DNA sequence: TGGCAATACTG
DNA sequence: CAGTAT
DNA sequence: GCCA
């Protein structure tokens, strides 16, 4: 596209999932077996650090790994051998925790090439990538010259470890491409040395969440939880404005970097007015907030929360149901007439939702025709959808989707956004933003992938589908060309992560010029997002919505070429996604 | 006292 | 338009 | 419920 990167900087990123590794790993249901004979490294689990490699080297190495190694890992902790072109410790540490690296064989790309040529694993000695590691590695596996040295620990503990380290980068971006073989333009890949957030330039007293660093967990988390209860209650009761105020107070507190022990500290914080100041004070001396406790234990609050946890039921419907005297899910099911049999049949079948309720018989509906088929289905899904998704599984879902997508259109790029990208150890759903270097390949892709996933038994429900909105007809290339689909997804049984749990999966397809705008837009958190838009409007007279950034007075459209350019455009300091957790 | 993000879809 | 969802 |  426009700018070309000076150097051959490619991508990196751990969660650099997919790539060809999984592309070959068999199509979901087909019982793939028989690892091709003649592998040079049949027992080696490899991880490739992409940083400092150009795209052709990446595809070469991925190709070799995929063909000759036992496995090409997505996470360094799963691997025995780490291949990297990086030579300095400091730099490597940006991609792999030092503690982890010390327990692995960290070697140069040449090791892989030579080993393959040699037909079997060569000693690491001559290929040590980092000088500081020389001793460790050698002593780490004294005798295994050729054997892949399963002696290094780790590899099993992948799970927990990756969830716990929400330390900036490393888990930052989960961008992946379906390529290697085809080069992907650099501007669609995440920056090679991940950007660092300069906390000192941020200001926790700012009125805008997009100027504050908000970690996943803050020093005043307990207080935040209390206030968030009140916020939820306000929202459920339909007091949206009040709820907004609590949400803002919460996000201001999330960015305050010290434990609050005196009211003096609070004075400088925005959005803490008379009412909330009182609540904070109460919390400081009592360790809790009375109103929050009351709400928590209130039957009404519990019922309303429960009801609105069902997809399609919001505050209003929840209240109505409550007023009807309903209190539990069982009662809801009775109310909506869920034959516990109907439910299971709906559950296992690959049902198509969307515009189902055709049969709106002019028959009886007296009380209200609200509920209906749709809510029934949502009720059946609730149990599964209430279960959080661990990062590992989020990544697996990403790989599976990319694998299918690649078969429809090679060369796509994607980023897993949402809470996952902000570093949450568990997500309630998975959001993915996709694009393709060739804008013309995007249109209709969303629908096609969803259909393919559906046919493959991976998408059971489509809550809604939106396609091309040729708003500005006139020759318009891009613009409102964002497609999205909200689905219910289930991993194929062939996946090692398969647990039969249905998950919410949102897919967003964006033309390449709008990719980074979309990624920013979908990375959240909600308050961060709102304030970003607010800031854009207040300070720059720009409109920032799901389909792009435009200047209000002349409607000029902007196409940031990187995520950081979005921040630059708005004159904001860069904030890593893991510091955009402005919600409770 | 007005404004609080901004849209898309369904009924 | 109200309600829900992103 | 808070702010300009």
């Amino acid at each position: 596209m426009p700018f070309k990167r000076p150097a051959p900087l490619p991508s990196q990123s751990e969660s650099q999932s997919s790539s060809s590794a999984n592309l070959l790993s068999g199509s979901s249901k087909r019982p793939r077996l028989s690892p091709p004979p003649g592998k040079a490294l049949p027992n080696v689990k490899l991880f490739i650090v992409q940083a400092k490699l150009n795209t052709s080297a990446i595809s070469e190495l991925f190709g070799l790994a995929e063909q000759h190694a036992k496995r090409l890992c997505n996470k360094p902790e799963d691997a025995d051998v780490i291949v990297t072109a990086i030579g300095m410790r400091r730099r490597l540490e940006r991609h792999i925790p030092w503690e982890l690296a010390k327990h692995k064989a960290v070697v140069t790309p040449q090791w892989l090439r030579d080993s393959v040529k040699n037909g079997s694993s060569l000693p690491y000695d001559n290929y040590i990538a980092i000088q500081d590691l020389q001793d460790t590695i050698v002593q780490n596996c004294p005798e295994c010259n050729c054997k892949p040295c399963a002696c290094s620990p780790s590899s099993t503990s992948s799970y927990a470890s990756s969830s716990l380290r929400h330390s900036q980068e490393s888990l930052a971006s989960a961008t992946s491409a379906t390529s290697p073989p085809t080069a992907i333009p650099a501007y669609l890949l995440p920056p090679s040395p991940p950007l660092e957030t300069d906390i000192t330039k941020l200001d926790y007293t700012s009125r805008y969440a997009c100027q504050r660093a908000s970690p996943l967990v803050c020093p005043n988390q307990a207080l935040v939880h209390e206030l968030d209860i009140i916020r939820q209650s306000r929202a459920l009761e339909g007091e949206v404005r009040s709820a907004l105020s609590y949400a803002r107070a919460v996000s201001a507190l999330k960015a305050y970097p010290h434990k609050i022990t005196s009211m003096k500290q609070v004075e400088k914080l925005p959005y803490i007015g008379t009412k909330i100041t009182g609540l904070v004070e109460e919390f400081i001396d009592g360790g809790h907030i009375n109103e929050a406790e009351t709400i928590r234990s209130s039957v009404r609050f519990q019922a309303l929360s429960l009801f609105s946890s069902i997809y399609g039921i919001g505050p209003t419907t929840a209240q109505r149901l409550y007023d009807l005297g309903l209190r539990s899910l069982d009662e809801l099911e009775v109310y909506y007439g869920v034959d516990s049999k109907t439910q299971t049949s709906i559950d296992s079948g690959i049902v198509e939702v969307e515009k189902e309720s055709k049969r709106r018989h002019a028959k009886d509906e007296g009380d209200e025709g609200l509920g209906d088929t749709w809510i029934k289905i949502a009720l059946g899904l609730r149990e599964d959808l209430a279960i959080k998704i661990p990062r590992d599984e989020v990544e697996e879902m990403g790989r599976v989707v990319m694998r299918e997508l690649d078969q429809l259109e090679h060369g796509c790029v994607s980023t897993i956004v949402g809470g996952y990208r902000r570093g949450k150890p568990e997500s309630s759903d998975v959001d993915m933003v996709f694009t393709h270097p060739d804008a013309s390949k995007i249109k209709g892709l969303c629908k096609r992938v969803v259909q393919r996933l559906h046919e493959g038994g991976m998408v059971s429900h489509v809550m809604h589908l939106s396609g091309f909105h040729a708003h500005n007809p006139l020759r318009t290339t891009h613009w409102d060309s964002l497609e999205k689909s909200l689905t219910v997804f289930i991993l194929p049984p062939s996946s090692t992560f398969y647990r039969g749990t249905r998950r919410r999966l949102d897919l967003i397809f964006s033309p390449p010029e709008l990719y980074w705008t979309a990624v920013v837009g979908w990375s959240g958190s909600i308050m961060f997002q709102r304030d970003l838009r607010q800031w854009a409007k207040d300070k720059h007279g720009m409109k920032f919505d799901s389909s792009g950034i435009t200047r209000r007075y002349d409607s000029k459209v902007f196409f940031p070429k990187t995520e950081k350019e979005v921040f630059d455009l708005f004159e904001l300091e860069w904030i890593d996604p893991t510091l955009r957790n402005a919600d409770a």
Side-chain angles (χ1 to χ4, degrees):
Chain A
M1 257 277 134
F3 279 37
K4 197 157 272 179
R5 296 312 174 78
L9 8 133
S11 88
Q12 35 56 198
S13 91
E14 299 45 45
S15 313
Q16 217 304 143
S17 61
S18 65
S19 297
S20 27
N22 308 288
L23 300 180
L24 299 188
S25 58
S27 62
S28 51
K29 37 189 90 189
R30 240 159 277 313
R32 115 299 302 290
L33 40 147
S34 72
K39 287 193 174 196
L41 308 165
N43 298 310
V44 178
K45 289 186 283 181
L46 265 184
F47 176 82
I48 298 177
V49 179
Q50 291 188 48
K52 211 150 174 280
L53 292 170
N54 60 36
T55 34
S56 67
I58 289 176
S59 50
E60 177 214 355
L61 296 171
F62 271 65
L64 290 176
E66 153 189 308
Q67 199 172 70
H68 293 279
K70 175 181 184 184
R71 187 148 94 78
L72 179 49
C73 304
N74 318 303
K75 300 195 278 31
E77 51 266 49
D78 293 341
D80 306 313
V81 179
I82 293 177
V83 172
T84 179
I86 294 174
M88 289 184 330
R89 169 172 173 168
R90 297 285 306 266
R91 177 101 194 259
L92 183 68
E93 281 181 298
R94 291 209 277 247
H95 304 274
I96 296 175
W98 190 244
E99 277 312 306
L100 182 61
K102 282 202 299 201
H103 297 289
K104 309 286 184 184
V106 183
V107 299
T108 60
Q110 202 53 43
W111 173 84
L112 178 54
R113 298 190 183 98
D114 290 352
S115 292
V116 167
K117 212 177 297 175
N118 180 48
S120 71
S121 179
L122 291 167
Y124 304 128
D125 324 6
N126 300 325
Y127 302 93
I128 303 300
I130 315 260
Q131 273 320 310
D132 290 11
L133 276 174
Q134 175 91 47
D135 302 333
T136 334
I137 292 177
V138 174
Q139 97 188 24
N140 223 6
C141 28
E143 60 226 331
C144 42
N145 305 357
C146 346
K147 284 315 169 186
C149 140
C151 46
S152 68
S154 73
S155 126
T156 37
S157 59
S158 51
Y159 224 119
S161 57
S162 78
S163 305
L164 293 180
R165 324 159 33 276
H166 58 281
S167 54
Q168 245 58 341
E169 40 202 308
S170 66
L171 55 65
S173 42
T175 295
S176 61
T178 56
S179 273
T182 310
I184 291 180
Y187 76 99
L188 289 181
L189 295 173
S192 174
L195 293 156
E196 282 182 35
T197 307
D198 186 349
I199 316 264
T200 67
K201 297 239 181 85
L202 300 175
D203 172 17
Y204 61 76
T205 69
S206 168
R207 311 241 163 350
Y208 296 87
C210 52
Q211 283 193 309
R212 310 188 292 249
S214 313
L216 195 53
V217 176
C218 73
N220 301 288
Q221 204 61 29
L223 169 58
V224 160
H225 279 318
E226 292 286 280
L227 290 175
D228 193 56
I229 293 291
I230 305 182
R231 196 221 88 224
Q232 291 177 46
S233 171
R234 296 290 187 272
L236 289 169
E237 299 294 351
E239 298 164 45
V240 281
R241 304 310 172 187
S242 180
L244 178 57
S245 282
Y246 282 95
R248 291 197 151 130
V250 161
S251 80
L253 290 166
K254 286 262 349 227
Y256 186 67
H258 315 290
K259 178 119 186 162
I260 296 172
T261 55
S262 103
M263 291 311 289
K264 198 169 162 179
Q265 308 172 69
V266 174
E267 284 169 16
K268 321 198 289 213
L269 301 185
Y271 303 110
I272 312 286
T274 18
K275 175 73 183 289
I276 297 182
T277 295
L279 298 175
V280 173
E281 192 164 13
E282 181 185 349
F283 184 88
I284 290 181
D285 8 272
H288 63 83
I289 296 174
N290 206 11
E291 186 176 355
E293 300 306 321
T294 308
I295 289 171
R296 230 195 288 273
S297 56
S298 121
V299 171
R300 179 178 169 88
F301 173 74
Q302 291 171 10
L304 294 181
S305 304
L306 183 63
F307 295 168
S308 60
S309 74
I310 287 134
Y311 192 92
I313 296 184
T316 306
T317 309
Q319 284 186 57
R320 242 198 39 239
L321 297 170
Y322 184 88
D323 292 343
L324 257 33
L326 306 179
R327 297 291 182 275
S328 68
L329 284 187
D330 287 347
E331 290 166 352
L332 264 202
E333 291 183 355
V334 172
Y335 176 76
Y336 284 112
V338 178
D339 321 284
S340 42
K341 342 191 146 192
T342 299
Q343 190 186 328
T344 37
S345 70
I346 287 177
D347 284 358
S348 39
I350 290 88
V351 183
E352 238 306 342
V353 183
E354 217 191 332
K355 52 206 44 198
E356 66 319 299
S357 56
K358 289 307 177 194
R359 57 197 91 309
R360 203 66 284 223
H361 292 156
K363 212 176 62 176
D364 65 320
E365 64 290 285
D367 29 29
E368 69 279 336
L370 213 159
D372 78 81
T373 345
W374 206 72
I375 302 288
K376 273 195 209 172
I377 294 175
L379 268 168
L381 291 171
R382 200 209 80 105
E383 192 178 7
D384 274 9
L385 300 190
I387 302 173
K388 300 286 203 167
I389 319 170
R391 295 185 67 81
D392 271 7
E393 196 180 332
V394 172
E395 288 156 18
E396 170 74 353
M397 287 172 62
R399 286 190 295 269
V400 168
V401 172
M402 281 306 271
R403 186 179 71 206
E404 296 300 317
L405 176 57
D406 190 58
Q407 273 154 264
L408 288 179
E409 201 63 76
H410 188 67
C412 286
V413 180
S414 72
T415 299
I416 302 178
V417 289
Y420 171 85
R421 187 158 189 257
R422 299 197 307 274
K424 293 179 70 173
E426 299 181 310
S427 305
S428 48
D429 65 9
V430 176
D431 309 290
M432 295 181 74
V433 174
F434 304 85
T435 194
H436 189 288
D438 179 350
S440 68
K441 300 285 177 60
I442 290 298
K443 72 177 178 343
L445 241 198
C446 183
K447 200 167 192 171
R448 288 202 292 147
V449 193
V450 172
Q451 168 138 359
R452 184 188 176 91
L453 292 170
H454 178 263
E455 287 162 358
M458 286 168 270
V459 161
S460 61
H461 302 74
V462 181
M463 329 298 271
H464 141 274
L465 243 173
S466 111
F468 28 92
H469 288 241
H471 257 190
N472 268 9
L474 311 180
R475 282 261 179 246
T476 176
T477 32
H478 28 254
W479 203 211
D480 216 301
S481 49
L482 230 75
E483 295 186 73
K484 84 175 165 186
S485 187
L486 318 181
T487 73
V488 177
F489 177 92
I490 181 166
L491 282 172
S494 57
S495 167
T496 55
F497 288 80
Y498 177 76
R499 260 184 254 113
T501 310
R502 287 158 305 186
R503 311 297 202 178
R504 281 278 291 103
L505 169 70
D506 294 347
L507 306 96
I508 297 94
F509 284 78
S510 161
E513 324 85 76
L514 292 172
Y515 184 65
W516 292 112
T517 302
V519 168
V520 172
W522 284 81
S523 289
S525 61
I526 291 173
M527 273 313 300
F528 190 92
Q529 195 53 34
R530 284 181 158 194
D531 281 353
L532 191 54
R533 293 174 178 212
Q534 192 69 51
W535 172 273
K537 184 205 265 191
D538 293 350
K539 311 287 184 182
H540 295 276
M542 308 262 245
K543 184 160 77 92
F544 184 175
D545 63 40
S546 52
S547 48
I549 298 170
T550 52
R551 196 194 264 147
R552 307 196 95 137
Y553 71 81
D554 64 357
S555 295
K556 176 175 176 181
V557 189
F558 292 81
F559 302 112
K561 292 182 297 301
T562 66
E563 185 174 21
K564 182 166 186 301
E565 277 194 25
V566 177
F567 284 75
D568 292 345
L569 179 61
F570 296 142
E571 299 182 284
L572 287 166
E573 281 300 315
W574 166 255
I575 299 182
D576 187 86
T578 56
L579 292 175
R580 299 179 201 166
N581 290 288
D583 295 340

